[in-house]
Amino acid sequence: MKKKSDPFAQDSIGRTSLFYAAERGDIEEVRRIIFSLAGTGVWPQRLALIERKDASGLTASDVAEQAGHEEIADLLRGEQMRMEYFE
């Protein structure tokens, strides 16, 4: 049985697996990561992960945008706005 990795685990520059999936343009992996987390509640895990910043102050959506992956940046920002507005 494969152990599920911690989506909040950060590397030495503060990046999680979401950052790297967003940077390489892997939208299916981005979806898998964010939608595996609760998107409702007092402080949704999904929102906490999407809002996380690396050591440079960038979010995963910023990294996706810089790498030219606008669809991923839009997905992440859309989820962030949805959760901030409706929750």
Side-chain angles (χ1 to χ4, degrees), residues 17-27 29-30 33 63-64 67 69 72:
S17 58
L18 180 61
F19 280 84
Y20 293 105
E23 186 174 46
R24 67 178 179 270
D26 189 345
I27 195 162
E29 181 67 3
V30 168
I33 293 167
V63 170
H69 304 299
I72 292 173

Side-chain angles (χ1 to χ4, degrees), residues 37-48 82-84 86-87:
L37 300 170
T40 60
V42 176
W43 184 247
Q45 289 183 319
R46 188 181 312 157
L47 181 61
R82 185 189 68 73
M83 285 182 284
E84 286 174 346
F86 290 110
E87 298 304 325

